[in-house]
Amino acid sequence: MTLKIRIIFLFWLVGSFMRGFAQTQTLDPQIKDDYTDIAGLDHYKEWAGYNVHDPSCIKVGEYYYVYSTDAIYFPRNAERKNPEVKQGNIQVRRSKDLVHWEFLGWALDKIPDEAIQHIRSVSGGKEPQNVWAPYVLKQGNIFRMYYAVSLFGKKTSYIGLATSTSPTGPWTQAGDVVKTDSTSLMNAIDPTIVDDVANKKQWMLYGSYFGGLYCVELNPVTGLPVKEGDLGHLVVNRADTKSRVVEAPEVIYNPQFKKYYLFVSYDALFTHYNVRVGRADKPEGPYCDRNGRNMADTTNNYPILTYAYRFQNHAGWAGVGHCSVINDNGAYYMLHQGRLAPTNQPMVLHVRKMFWTKDGWPVVSPERYANVPQRKIEKKELIGEWEQIELTEIADKTQLWQGQIRGGWKYDTTLFNNSKLVELLVNGNVKNQKDMYWKLSGQSLEVVNSATKEKLELLIWREWDWENKRPTIVFSGINKQGLGIWGKKKTL
């Protein structure tokens, strides 16, 4: 071997080692699911992506910022007080990669006086304890933070607006947006803002639990309603409003399909909380689901994008709802809370990659985002066993109150969508599945039922297997019934 060839080989060898080393570093997030030991206030600087509830995300420069309800999980003996912390306000954290998070503290020094005054005036003097469900956007050179203050289980609620020249504050109260009381049809919490790309009008969608979700036009200059006191019009509703929750709207525009997509959350926060989606030609609606049903009607809507789930070697995740969706230069991500079983109380930030089917509907990853390097997937990599989950609706085993479970949660694996094994054979068959065939079509896994002629498009990509701490390939799609279909390869 000549000296020149040896030098070239040496550089290739070192380069291969470094690429492998870098990939190993990227692929191993070193993040545990159970943060019980640092849940208390005395560990708040270590929270990172823990104690996250109702997240809202915005990208500013190289950072992604997440703002969230100040809900804190306190395990037994956890420290509940800390002189450095003024509880009850909005949590703020940031990340450069959507995987590793830095907890920055709280956005507000206190609950705004205007919110307290409204709640007192309509509740007989009762005091609110928290600021909920923030939404942050940048309007010109100003950051606007919409936030909610309420009494749990009541329509005595308030959405206010605070502004800042920086995503980290300080924030200044800028006005009252929507106020409700016990006589109102709707509940003034969970705001989200969307611009009309055609005419630059701006709309706020909001609402939780009571009376469905509403949409009101805002003045883009002030950030407040065009008409003072306007509560807007109904865009989403459900039939059984006494126990069946619909809340947490989030709206984005997809320029590829020229549609506005409205994500909403269904059902009990601690268990079956799940995300569904509809779309519209205009941000103010009407929004229709995949079956063409108007979401303002009282039928349940599909598709289902997330649901309480459980892969092998893990206790499971519940409460996977109240999402934020961002479009980062054509890369879409969904962020939401996940409640760790078996107690379903610890709240962990979940970030999932989002892709779009050929007919223009979003699907999200069965695994949390880990910044896994992508390369072309070969057919031979798909052969073998997969864990598959169908995100189907599960009946409650107890009566709900305010959308929650009376008497608390009791761990039961049948209340999760559990994975089942599916094996793709080298000849294109699916083991033990008569009439089922599969093939690789581009970067999609196409499954065909030869008897019914039904085709299922499953988008595939490389991801991190959090349950087993190793790289994997995942798929995500929507079946004919509007149920999300998730899967991950058992071994590569």
Side-chain angles (χ1 to χ4, degrees):
M1 183 183 293
T2 66
L3 178 61
K4 183 177 180 179
I5 294 176
R6 288 178 180 175
I7 292 174
I8 293 173
F9 177 75
L10 179 61
F11 274 107
W12 175 85
L13 188 63
V14 171
S16 298
F17 172 78
M18 293 304 295
R19 285 191 295 272
F21 177 77
Q23 187 180 68
T24 301
Q25 295 301 301
T26 302
L27 290 182
D28 194 354
Q30 294 291 325
I31 299 171
K32 60 184 181 180
D33 293 339
D34 186 353
Y35 65 96
T36 303
D37 57 331
I38 59 169
L41 279 169
D42 51 336
H43 291 281
Y44 76 92
K45 293 181 180 179
E46 304 170 61
W47 283 354
Y50 301 136
N51 278 332
V52 176
H53 188 74
D54 308 334
S56 174
C57 184
I58 183 175
K59 189 178 185 184
V60 183
E62 63 180 340
Y63 283 106
Y64 302 88
Y65 289 87
V66 163
Y67 307 82
S68 59
T69 296
D70 194 23
I72 303 171
Y73 165 57
F74 288 110
R76 185 173 296 178
N77 300 322
E79 180 59 53
R80 291 175 177 265
K81 293 184 179 181
N82 187 317
E84 297 182 50
V85 176
K86 295 181 179 179
Q87 289 181 248
N89 306 316
I90 295 165
Q91 296 180 17
V92 186
R93 44 185 50 84
R94 70 181 182 181
S95 171
K96 289 184 178 182
D97 61 5
L98 289 172
V99 181
H100 303 91
W101 294 87
E102 174 190 4
F103 186 80
L104 299 181
W106 286 261
L108 302 175
D109 293 332
K110 62 178 182 177
I111 301 175
D113 293 337
E114 293 85 346
I116 294 175
Q117 291 167 8
H118 170 70
I119 300 301
R120 283 176 177 167
S121 68
V122 297
S123 67
K126 294 181 180 179
E127 295 276 345
Q129 301 300 314
N130 297 81
V131 183
W132 296 351
Y135 182 90
V136 177
L137 74 155
K138 189 177 183 183
Q139 191 79 18
N141 294 322
I142 299 298
F143 292 90
R144 290 177 176 172
M145 178 169 66
Y146 292 83
Y147 63 87
V149 178
S150 182
L151 297 178
F152 183 78
K154 306 292 183 181
K155 290 184 285 185
T156 50
S157 304
Y158 171 98
I159 294 176
L161 171 63
T163 61
S164 175
T165 58
S166 167
T168 59
W171 299 90
T172 302
Q173 175 72 3
D176 308 336
V177 186
V178 173
K179 297 183 283 188
T180 55
D181 58 36
S182 60
T183 67
S184 304
L185 294 174
M186 69 292 289
N187 190 19
I189 71 172
D190 293 358
T192 187
I193 313 299
V194 61
D195 291 328
D196 191 322
V197 298
N199 55 32
K200 305 304 180 184
K201 288 186 176 182
Q202 195 171 70
W203 301 85
M204 180 179 78
L205 285 81
Y206 73 96
S208 176
Y209 191 80
F210 299 101
L213 309 182
Y214 283 73
C215 178
V216 60
E217 185 178 357
L218 302 181
N219 181 337
V221 176
T222 65
L224 304 176
V226 170
K227 298 177 182 178
E228 185 177 355
D230 184 12
L231 298 178
H233 62 273
L234 181 70
V235 288
V236 182
N237 204 7
R238 292 186 74 183
D240 180 5
T241 56
K242 292 184 178 180
S243 64
R244 300 297 164 212
V245 180
V246 59
E247 60 185 21
E250 171 75 331
V251 182
I252 65 163
Y253 178 73
N254 186 318
Q256 178 185 355
F257 301 105
K258 296 181 172 56
K259 297 283 187 181
Y260 297 87
Y261 289 82
L262 171 58
F263 302 82
V264 301
S265 292
Y266 270 34
D267 300 333
L269 172 65
F270 287 90
T271 57
H272 299 152
Y273 216 33
N274 63 94
V275 176
R276 311 197 181 201
V277 65
R279 66 186 184 186
D281 295 322
K282 299 184 293 185
E284 68 270 30
Y287 286 89
C288 294
D289 71 1
R290 194 165 177 257
N291 298 318
R293 295 172 175 169
N294 190 327
M295 296 178 76
D297 293 338
T298 54
T299 55
N300 282 357
N301 299 119
Y302 302 89
I304 301 174
L305 302 185
T306 71
Y307 210 97
Y309 71 97
R310 182 171 168 267
F311 281 115
Q312 292 179 357
N313 302 324
H314 197 271
W317 291 101
V320 286
H322 197 122
C323 71
S324 174
V325 178
I326 61 170
N327 176 1
D328 185 10
N329 293 318
Y332 290 84
Y333 302 93
M334 176 185 286
L335 298 85
H336 60 80
Q337 64 211 29
R339 290 181 171 267
L340 180 63
T343 65
N344 291 4
Q345 292 181 336
M347 298 160 286
V348 178
L349 176 62
H350 286 203
V351 181
R352 298 180 191 274
K353 291 182 74 171
M354 177 183 287
F355 293 93
W356 301 83
T357 62
K358 294 175 183 177
D359 57 350
W361 289 97
V363 297
V364 297
S365 176
E367 290 285 355
R368 288 170 282 163
Y369 179 68
N371 199 21
V372 173
Q374 298 297 308
R375 65 181 190 277
K376 184 179 179 181
I377 296 173
E378 304 292 343
K379 179 180 178 180
K380 63 183 179 181
E381 297 181 89
L382 303 182
I383 299 167
E385 281 192 324
W386 294 71
E387 288 189 62
Q388 177 177 301
I389 292 178
E390 181 181 80
L391 301 178
T392 188
E393 295 166 304
I394 301 174
D396 294 303
K397 291 189 176 181
T398 184
Q399 184 179 1
L400 301 182
W401 172 81
Q402 301 292 357
Q404 309 309 318
I405 296 178
R406 290 181 181 272
W409 159 254
K410 303 294 187 298
Y411 184 62
D412 183 343
T413 59
T414 65
L415 294 176
F416 295 80
N417 284 309
N418 295 282
S419 67
K420 299 178 181 178
L421 293 182
V422 174
E423 186 173 353
L424 304 184
L425 302 178
V426 67
N427 62 0
N429 293 342
V430 180
K431 186 176 181 180
N432 298 327
Q433 298 290 320
K434 184 182 179 181
D435 302 322
M436 297 296 289
Y437 301 90
W438 70 275
K439 68 176 182 179
L440 177 63
S441 177
Q443 289 297 277
S444 294
L445 172 60
E446 188 177 285
V447 181
V448 180
N449 186 316
S450 61
T452 64
K453 308 301 181 183
E454 182 181 344
K455 294 182 180 180
L456 177 61
E457 176 194 9
L458 299 170
L459 303 178
I460 57 175
W461 62 95
R462 299 185 187 278
E463 200 49 272
W464 180 250
D465 183 339
W466 288 84
E467 290 78 21
N468 299 296
K469 303 187 186 312
R470 62 192 179 201
T472 188
I473 296 172
V474 299
F475 64 66
S476 185
I478 303 169
N479 69 11
K480 187 177 180 180
Q481 291 72 41
L483 307 180
I485 302 295
W486 284 356
K488 71 173 179 181
K489 187 78 183 301
K490 285 204 70 175
T491 58
L492 289 182

